[in-house]
Amino acid sequence: MTVEQWGRIWPERYARPAAATQRTYRYATEQVIRDIGSLRLAAVDRQTARARANEWPRNTTRTARTMWADAPRDGVCPKTRSPISG
């Protein structure tokens, strides 16, 4: 599964109830998709993730971290440490 595919599915499957959080997630996932959407989710390594995290606004990085943390629950990537973990 690509980052774009997961970025489109994730907000629906793991929706957080607060409207402000949903807006932040929408904005952040669009930025993640623009930057690395064509990559396979499981193929994003720590080096790539760190480089992007240093370029993204803090909320985008936090959202991406949450996206990767949720992915193993759906079996879309291995249960390994998120490449964007703190």
XYZ file of all heavy atoms in Angstrom:
695
model
N 0.843 -1.179 0.000
C 0.000 0.000 0.000
C 0.888 1.242 0.000
O 1.884 1.287 0.711
C -0.903 -0.011 1.237
C -1.739 1.239 1.375
S -2.965 1.163 2.695
C -4.116 0.008 1.994
N 0.508 2.224 -0.782
C 1.303 3.454 -0.838
C 0.900 4.406 0.293
O -0.166 4.266 0.903
C 1.120 4.190 -2.175
O -0.229 4.663 -2.256
C 1.485 3.315 -3.361
N 1.762 5.380 0.524
C 1.467 6.414 1.517
C 0.176 7.143 1.131
O -0.663 7.427 1.986
C 2.651 7.395 1.648
C 2.298 8.563 2.543
C 3.895 6.671 2.165
N 0.009 7.402 -0.164
C -1.216 8.081 -0.605
C -2.459 7.254 -0.304
O -3.452 7.772 0.217
C -1.173 8.398 -2.098
C -2.446 9.080 -2.567
C -2.429 9.516 -4.011
O -1.474 9.173 -4.736
O -3.369 10.202 -4.409
N -2.414 5.966 -0.610
C -3.577 5.117 -0.349
C -3.926 5.114 1.136
O -5.091 5.264 1.509
C -3.311 3.694 -0.843
C -3.257 3.584 -2.347
C -2.717 2.237 -2.807
O -1.796 1.675 -2.203
N -3.292 1.721 -3.890
N -2.926 4.939 1.981
C -3.161 4.933 3.426
C -3.619 6.317 3.905
O -4.508 6.431 4.752
C -1.927 4.476 4.172
C -2.119 4.420 5.656
C -1.424 5.112 6.597
C -3.055 3.620 6.380
N -1.880 4.802 7.853
C -2.879 3.887 7.744
C -4.044 2.714 5.997
C -3.649 3.270 8.739
C -4.810 2.110 6.989
C -4.607 2.390 8.334
N -3.034 7.363 3.359
C -3.412 8.716 3.744
C -4.852 9.056 3.409
O -5.463 9.908 4.056
N -5.414 8.398 2.435
C -6.814 8.621 2.079
C -7.760 7.757 2.927
O -8.868 8.151 3.241
C -7.050 8.330 0.602
C -6.160 9.129 -0.310
C -6.898 10.172 -1.083
N -6.000 10.864 -1.999
C -5.627 12.126 -1.837
N -6.070 12.821 -0.817
N -4.813 12.700 -2.699
N -7.310 6.566 3.309
C -8.118 5.644 4.109
C -8.061 6.000 5.595
O -9.063 5.964 6.299
C -7.626 4.190 3.918
C -7.857 3.727 2.495
C -8.275 3.245 4.917
C -7.140 2.427 2.161
N -6.869 6.326 6.064
C -6.601 6.492 7.495
C -7.546 7.449 8.224
O -8.070 7.094 9.286
C -5.136 6.899 7.693
C -4.784 7.236 9.081
C -4.606 6.372 10.122
C -4.580 8.542 9.611
N -4.298 7.058 11.255
C -4.279 8.395 10.964
C -4.623 9.821 9.062
C -4.017 9.483 11.789
C -4.356 10.904 9.877
C -4.062 10.731 11.222
N -7.804 8.646 7.700
C -8.677 9.553 8.458
C -10.087 9.004 8.682
O -10.738 9.331 9.668
C -8.736 10.822 7.595
C -7.543 10.756 6.727
C -7.300 9.296 6.489
N -10.545 8.157 7.785
C -11.877 7.567 7.937
C -11.876 6.425 8.943
O -12.793 6.294 9.744
C -12.382 7.070 6.588
C -12.598 8.184 5.586
C -12.908 7.664 4.197
O -13.210 6.457 4.052
O -12.850 8.469 3.259
N -10.852 5.587 8.904
C -10.802 4.434 9.806
C -10.411 4.804 11.224
O -10.820 4.130 12.173
C -9.804 3.403 9.277
C -10.285 2.704 8.045
C -9.426 1.516 7.726
N -9.848 0.928 6.464
C -9.144 0.042 5.797
N -7.988 -0.371 6.273
N -9.589 -0.435 4.664
N -9.602 5.809 11.364
C -9.102 6.192 12.686
C -9.450 7.633 13.010
O -8.643 8.380 13.548
C -7.585 5.978 12.762
C -7.227 4.525 12.709
C -6.872 3.924 11.508
C -7.267 3.736 13.844
C -6.556 2.572 11.445
C -6.966 2.385 13.791
C -6.609 1.826 12.587
O -6.307 0.490 12.533
N -10.666 8.015 12.689
C -11.098 9.397 12.903
C -11.066 9.753 14.382
O -11.472 8.969 15.236
C -12.506 9.581 12.357
N -10.549 10.907 14.661
C -10.592 11.468 16.002
C -11.796 12.401 16.023
O -12.105 13.059 15.025
C -9.301 12.242 16.301
C -8.126 11.403 16.809
C -7.836 10.190 15.990
N -6.618 9.496 16.438
C -5.981 8.605 15.732
N -6.413 8.268 14.539
N -4.908 8.016 16.194
N -12.486 12.487 17.140
C -13.759 13.196 17.151
C -13.690 14.719 17.050
O -14.616 15.337 16.524
C -14.391 12.775 18.474
C -13.253 12.356 19.334
C -12.214 11.818 18.406
N -12.654 15.336 17.542
C -12.603 16.796 17.571
C -12.493 17.374 16.157
O -11.671 16.946 15.352
C -11.424 17.263 18.411
N -13.325 18.375 15.875
C -13.338 18.997 14.547
C -11.985 19.620 14.213
O -11.512 19.521 13.080
C -14.438 20.046 14.476
N -11.356 20.255 15.181
C -10.049 20.883 14.940
C -9.006 19.829 14.586
O -8.166 20.048 13.705
C -9.609 21.678 16.158
N -9.062 18.686 15.240
C -8.120 17.601 14.935
C -8.364 17.089 13.526
O -7.420 16.849 12.772
C -8.265 16.457 15.956
O -8.024 16.980 17.257
C -7.302 15.330 15.663
N -9.610 16.944 13.143
C -9.927 16.473 11.799
C -9.410 17.442 10.735
O -8.886 17.017 9.712
C -11.430 16.259 11.653
C -11.923 15.087 12.471
C -13.422 14.917 12.414
O -14.114 15.588 11.656
N -13.941 14.013 13.228
N -9.539 18.735 10.981
C -9.006 19.730 10.032
C -7.489 19.631 9.934
O -6.921 19.661 8.844
C -9.404 21.148 10.458
C -10.801 21.530 10.091
C -11.050 23.014 10.297
N -10.791 23.461 11.664
C -11.660 23.380 12.670
N -12.854 22.869 12.471
N -11.337 23.823 13.869
N -6.838 19.519 11.081
C -5.377 19.389 11.095
C -4.950 18.151 10.338
O -4.013 18.185 9.536
C -4.856 19.337 12.545
O -5.191 20.562 13.191
C -3.353 19.108 12.590
N -5.626 17.027 10.572
C -5.286 15.779 9.898
C -5.481 15.893 8.389
O -4.675 15.399 7.622
C -6.111 14.627 10.455
C -5.621 14.080 11.784
C -4.621 14.716 12.510
C -6.176 12.944 12.328
C -4.194 14.219 13.721
C -5.742 12.435 13.536
C -4.752 13.068 14.234
O -4.312 12.568 15.426
N -6.564 16.539 7.959
C -6.794 16.712 6.521
C -5.659 17.510 5.883
O -5.118 17.120 4.845
C -8.124 17.426 6.270
C -9.291 16.504 6.055
C -10.497 17.223 5.471
N -10.838 18.459 6.161
C -11.620 18.539 7.243
N -12.132 17.444 7.755
N -11.892 19.706 7.793
N -5.317 18.616 6.474
C -4.232 19.452 5.948
C -2.922 18.667 5.929
O -2.206 18.646 4.928
C -4.079 20.708 6.798
C -2.814 21.462 6.488
C -2.732 22.297 5.377
C -1.686 21.321 7.289
C -1.552 22.978 5.083
C -0.511 21.995 6.997
C -0.458 22.817 5.899
O 0.709 23.475 5.611
N -2.616 18.009 7.038
C -1.340 17.300 7.160
C -1.255 16.115 6.207
O -0.214 15.916 5.567
C -1.145 16.835 8.604
N -2.321 15.333 6.080
C -2.254 14.171 5.181
C -2.088 14.616 3.736
O -1.385 13.947 2.972
C -3.468 13.234 5.317
O -4.680 13.963 5.135
C -3.480 12.527 6.654
N -2.686 15.725 3.360
C -2.491 16.227 1.995
C -1.028 16.595 1.756
O -0.486 16.330 0.685
C -3.411 17.421 1.713
C -4.861 17.035 1.537
C -5.089 15.989 0.450
O -4.477 16.081 -0.634
O -5.892 15.070 0.680
N -0.393 17.186 2.735
C 1.025 17.527 2.582
C 1.886 16.267 2.507
O 2.789 16.171 1.673
C 1.491 18.412 3.730
C 2.916 18.882 3.544
C 3.268 20.029 4.463
O 2.566 20.323 5.420
N 4.368 20.680 4.158
N 1.607 15.295 3.346
C 2.343 14.034 3.319
C 2.169 13.360 1.958
O 3.138 12.894 1.351
C 1.881 13.104 4.473
C 2.460 11.708 4.312
C 2.262 13.695 5.822
N 0.947 13.333 1.462
C 0.664 12.720 0.159
C 1.414 13.445 -0.953
O 1.994 12.814 -1.837
C -0.856 12.672 -0.102
C -1.505 11.628 0.815
C -1.154 12.385 -1.567
C -3.023 11.695 0.861
N 1.401 14.768 -0.934
C 2.132 15.532 -1.961
C 3.614 15.193 -1.960
O 4.241 15.072 -2.996
C 1.988 17.045 -1.708
C 0.816 17.690 -2.357
C 0.916 19.204 -2.328
N 1.281 19.769 -1.039
C 0.427 20.114 -0.080
N -0.863 19.931 -0.253
N 0.858 20.641 1.043
N 4.187 15.044 -0.776
C 5.637 14.868 -0.660
C 6.114 13.424 -0.843
O 7.154 13.196 -1.454
C 6.127 15.400 0.682
C 6.031 16.907 0.790
O 5.803 17.576 -0.238
O 6.193 17.429 1.909
N 5.387 12.467 -0.300
C 5.869 11.077 -0.361
C 4.757 10.084 -0.700
O 4.892 8.884 -0.457
C 6.575 10.656 0.953
C 5.648 10.765 2.163
C 7.862 11.439 1.145
C 6.239 10.184 3.448
N 3.676 10.554 -1.269
C 2.523 9.706 -1.549
C 2.793 8.519 -2.445
O 2.130 7.491 -2.327
N 3.762 8.626 -3.325
C 4.021 7.522 -4.262
C 4.834 6.385 -3.647
O 4.917 5.299 -4.224
C 4.751 8.054 -5.495
O 6.025 8.554 -5.126
N 5.410 6.606 -2.472
C 6.219 5.571 -1.823
C 5.331 4.536 -1.144
O 4.248 4.849 -0.669
C 7.140 6.191 -0.773
C 8.146 7.231 -1.260
C 8.904 7.811 -0.081
C 9.097 6.616 -2.265
N 5.833 3.303 -1.103
C 5.139 2.277 -0.333
C 5.270 2.619 1.145
O 6.331 3.008 1.617
C 5.727 0.898 -0.607
C 5.347 0.383 -1.983
C 5.801 -1.057 -2.243
N 5.473 -1.943 -1.138
C 6.401 -2.614 -0.431
N 7.686 -2.517 -0.708
N 6.038 -3.393 0.548
N 4.193 2.493 1.884
C 4.175 2.835 3.304
C 5.277 2.109 4.073
O 6.018 2.719 4.848
C 2.799 2.485 3.876
C 2.476 2.960 5.276
C 2.395 4.472 5.323
C 1.163 2.354 5.735
N 5.417 0.823 3.816
C 6.414 0.016 4.526
C 7.843 0.314 4.076
O 8.794 -0.062 4.748
C 6.118 -1.466 4.346
N 7.991 1.008 2.954
C 9.327 1.282 2.429
C 9.914 2.605 2.920
O 11.079 2.888 2.667
C 9.291 1.282 0.903
N 9.123 3.403 3.608
C 9.640 4.678 4.112
C 10.570 4.378 5.283
O 10.147 3.858 6.308
C 8.499 5.627 4.539
C 9.060 6.911 5.130
C 7.599 5.932 3.352
N 11.841 4.688 5.082
C 12.822 4.410 6.135
C 12.999 5.630 7.030
O 12.481 6.711 6.777
C 14.155 3.965 5.532
C 14.786 5.009 4.628
O 14.377 6.189 4.658
O 15.690 4.658 3.872
N 13.735 5.425 8.098
C 13.927 6.488 9.092
C 14.628 7.706 8.490
O 14.283 8.844 8.812
C 14.705 5.944 10.286
C 14.762 6.930 11.422
C 14.874 6.189 12.745
N 15.055 7.089 13.859
C 14.067 7.745 14.453
N 12.844 7.603 14.038
N 14.298 8.542 15.475
N 15.578 7.493 7.621
C 16.314 8.605 7.005
C 15.376 9.483 6.168
O 15.406 10.712 6.264
C 17.459 8.073 6.147
C 18.307 9.159 5.539
C 19.467 8.567 4.732
O 19.579 7.357 4.564
N 20.311 9.429 4.224
N 14.543 8.861 5.361
C 13.576 9.608 4.551
C 12.575 10.326 5.448
O 12.276 11.507 5.241
C 12.822 8.656 3.599
O 13.773 8.005 2.749
C 11.792 9.390 2.762
N 12.075 9.612 6.430
C 11.102 10.203 7.344
C 11.687 11.393 8.099
O 11.045 12.431 8.238
C 10.603 9.147 8.324
N 12.900 11.256 8.571
C 13.549 12.342 9.320
C 13.758 13.561 8.432
O 13.520 14.694 8.852
C 14.880 11.861 9.897
C 15.684 12.910 10.626
C 15.012 13.464 11.834
N 14.875 12.429 12.831
C 14.125 12.564 13.924
N 13.476 13.660 14.148
N 14.029 11.592 14.779
N 14.186 13.355 7.204
C 14.398 14.471 6.279
C 13.087 15.222 6.046
O 13.060 16.459 6.050
C 14.975 13.969 4.963
N 12.004 14.494 5.835
C 10.708 15.139 5.622
C 10.220 15.815 6.894
O 9.699 16.928 6.857
C 9.670 14.127 5.140
C 9.929 13.662 3.759
C 9.959 14.830 2.805
N 10.248 14.359 1.472
C 10.138 15.101 0.399
N 9.777 16.351 0.489
N 10.425 14.591 -0.774
N 10.368 15.154 8.020
C 9.913 15.727 9.292
C 10.598 17.059 9.574
O 9.989 17.968 10.144
C 10.158 14.744 10.430
N 11.841 17.179 9.163
C 12.564 18.436 9.367
C 12.048 19.551 8.463
O 12.274 20.732 8.752
C 14.063 18.241 9.139
C 14.701 17.463 10.264
O 14.225 17.455 11.388
N 15.794 16.796 9.957
N 11.367 19.198 7.387
C 10.819 20.189 6.449
C 9.359 20.533 6.740
O 8.912 21.625 6.422
C 10.912 19.660 5.016
C 12.322 19.441 4.535
C 12.372 18.732 3.189
O 11.304 18.451 2.606
O 13.482 18.459 2.722
N 8.626 19.586 7.312
C 7.201 19.771 7.544
C 6.938 20.608 8.788
O 7.728 20.595 9.728
C 6.519 18.422 7.750
C 6.394 17.565 6.537
C 6.312 17.961 5.240
C 6.319 16.135 6.514
N 6.180 16.872 4.415
C 6.186 15.744 5.164
C 6.335 15.161 7.493
C 6.063 14.418 4.778
C 6.227 13.835 7.117
C 6.089 13.465 5.771
N 5.771 21.269 8.818
C 5.337 21.902 10.066
C 5.168 20.833 11.148
O 4.929 19.652 10.846
C 3.979 22.520 9.711
C 3.972 22.634 8.230
C 4.841 21.504 7.725
N 5.257 21.233 12.370
C 5.185 20.290 13.494
C 3.909 19.455 13.462
O 3.943 18.242 13.706
C 5.288 21.048 14.816
C 5.303 20.124 16.019
C 5.527 20.878 17.288
N 6.883 21.455 17.211
C 7.323 22.402 18.010
N 6.530 22.909 18.926
N 8.549 22.854 17.909
N 2.763 20.074 13.160
C 1.510 19.314 13.138
C 1.495 18.247 12.045
O 0.899 17.190 12.220
C 0.307 20.247 12.959
C -0.064 20.946 14.241
O 0.260 20.488 15.330
N -0.748 22.062 14.123
N 2.151 18.519 10.932
C 2.227 17.513 9.868
C 3.063 16.330 10.328
O 2.693 15.170 10.115
C 2.797 18.131 8.579
O 1.937 19.193 8.166
C 2.901 17.098 7.463
N 4.181 16.609 10.983
C 5.024 15.534 11.503
C 4.277 14.707 12.540
O 4.323 13.472 12.520
C 6.313 16.106 12.109
O 7.014 16.824 11.091
C 7.213 15.010 12.662
N 3.573 15.362 13.423
C 2.800 14.636 14.446
C 1.717 13.773 13.812
O 1.493 12.641 14.230
C 2.170 15.627 15.418
C 3.163 16.263 16.342
C 2.479 17.257 17.252
N 3.451 17.865 18.146
C 3.229 18.960 18.828
N 2.059 19.584 18.728
N 4.154 19.454 19.622
N 1.060 14.312 12.804
C 0.026 13.555 12.117
C 0.626 12.345 11.398
O 0.082 11.234 11.468
C -0.733 14.456 11.122
O -1.337 15.533 11.841
C -1.793 13.678 10.361
N 1.741 12.542 10.714
C 2.402 11.430 10.025
C 2.808 10.348 11.025
O 2.647 9.150 10.753
C 3.619 11.930 9.258
N 3.307 10.756 12.170
C 3.686 9.797 13.216
C 2.470 8.972 13.635
O 2.562 7.743 13.789
C 4.272 10.554 14.407
C 4.814 9.663 15.492
C 5.418 10.467 16.633
N 6.502 11.300 16.145
C 6.655 12.593 16.450
N 5.790 13.215 17.223
N 7.674 13.274 15.970
N 1.343 9.624 13.791
C 0.120 8.927 14.179
C -0.361 7.997 13.070
O -0.792 6.871 13.336
C -0.979 9.951 14.544
O -0.473 10.819 15.566
C -2.231 9.268 15.037
N -0.256 8.454 11.811
C -0.629 7.598 10.675
C 0.160 6.298 10.688
O -0.396 5.219 10.507
C -0.350 8.311 9.346
C -1.347 9.322 8.916
S -0.837 10.173 7.393
C -0.675 8.818 6.231
N 1.482 6.400 10.886
C 2.322 5.207 10.877
C 2.071 4.341 12.091
O 2.160 3.129 12.007
C 3.800 5.578 10.762
C 4.313 5.443 9.368
C 4.895 4.337 8.813
C 4.293 6.438 8.333
N 5.226 4.578 7.499
C 4.862 5.876 7.177
C 3.841 7.758 8.278
C 5.000 6.568 5.995
C 3.980 8.450 7.092
C 4.550 7.853 5.969
N 1.731 4.941 13.209
C 1.438 4.148 14.406
C 0.152 3.335 14.227
O 0.039 2.227 14.753
C 1.318 5.072 15.616
N -0.802 3.881 13.483
C -2.065 3.178 13.259
C -1.978 2.106 12.169
O -2.790 1.185 12.151
C -3.169 4.177 12.884
C -3.642 5.017 14.061
O -3.393 4.616 15.215
O -4.266 6.070 13.816
N -1.041 2.216 11.266
C -0.969 1.309 10.116
C -0.869 -0.176 10.480
O -1.563 -0.993 9.863
C 0.183 1.711 9.195
N -0.065 -0.578 11.458
C 0.006 -2.007 11.776
C -1.324 -2.590 12.261
O -1.586 -3.769 12.078
C 1.067 -2.093 12.877
C 1.891 -0.871 12.699
C 0.939 0.179 12.199
N -2.168 -1.764 12.847
C -3.472 -2.245 13.323
C -4.340 -2.753 12.184
O -5.188 -3.615 12.390
C -4.200 -1.124 14.060
C -3.512 -0.723 15.320
C -4.242 0.417 15.991
N -3.355 0.965 17.011
C -3.384 2.203 17.433
N -4.273 3.041 16.944
N -2.546 2.614 18.351
N -4.126 -2.187 10.994
C -4.857 -2.643 9.814
C -4.032 -3.600 8.966
O -4.459 -4.008 7.892
C -5.284 -1.450 8.947
C -6.646 -0.922 9.334
O -7.113 -1.245 10.438
O -7.241 -0.193 8.532
N -2.843 -3.921 9.409
C -1.989 -4.845 8.677
C -1.438 -4.284 7.381
O -1.077 -5.037 6.488
N -1.354 -2.959 7.268
C -0.863 -2.366 6.028
C 0.649 -2.157 6.026
O 1.224 -1.821 4.996
C -1.576 -1.030 5.700
C -3.050 -1.272 5.477
C -1.356 0.000 6.777
N 1.279 -2.346 7.151
C 2.740 -2.356 7.208
C 3.160 -3.168 8.428
O 2.348 -3.406 9.317
C 3.327 -0.940 7.220
S 3.110 -0.023 8.720
N 4.404 -3.601 8.456
C 4.857 -4.459 9.547
C 4.765 -3.767 10.902
O 4.802 -2.542 10.990
C 6.323 -4.742 9.205
C 6.515 -4.320 7.804
C 5.444 -3.331 7.483
N 4.661 -4.586 11.919
C 4.613 -4.056 13.286
C 6.016 -3.737 13.779
O 6.555 -4.377 14.660
C 3.943 -5.058 14.219
C 2.483 -5.236 13.921
C 1.861 -6.184 14.909
C 0.395 -6.393 14.564
N -0.273 -7.252 15.504
N 6.613 -2.774 13.159
C 7.933 -2.318 13.558
C 7.817 -0.881 14.023
O 6.787 -0.246 13.859
C 8.933 -2.407 12.392
O 8.457 -1.576 11.333
C 9.100 -3.829 11.909
N 8.877 -0.371 14.542
C 8.877 1.008 15.007
C 8.628 1.959 13.834
O 9.198 1.809 12.754
C 10.231 1.322 15.651
C 10.272 2.679 16.246
C 11.554 2.877 16.989
N 11.523 4.214 17.575
C 12.521 4.741 18.202
N 13.630 4.061 18.358
N 12.423 5.944 18.702
N 7.784 2.947 14.084
C 7.473 3.937 13.049
C 8.743 4.673 12.639
O 9.541 5.032 13.488
C 6.461 4.939 13.601
O 6.385 6.068 12.780
N 8.925 4.909 11.341
C 10.107 5.643 10.912
C 10.065 7.097 11.375
O 11.071 7.794 11.348
C 10.053 5.556 9.389
C 8.619 5.358 9.068
C 8.072 4.558 10.226
N 8.911 7.562 11.822
C 8.764 8.951 12.225
C 8.606 9.049 13.746
O 8.268 10.070 14.282
C 7.548 9.589 11.514
C 7.670 9.381 10.009
C 7.454 11.073 11.797
C 6.513 9.888 9.212
N 8.891 7.971 14.446
C 8.742 8.025 15.906
C 9.730 8.984 16.518
O 10.782 9.271 15.947
C 8.920 6.630 16.507
O 10.213 6.174 16.254
N 9.341 9.531 17.633
C 10.147 10.543 18.310
C 11.435 10.020 18.749
O 12.510 10.255 18.587
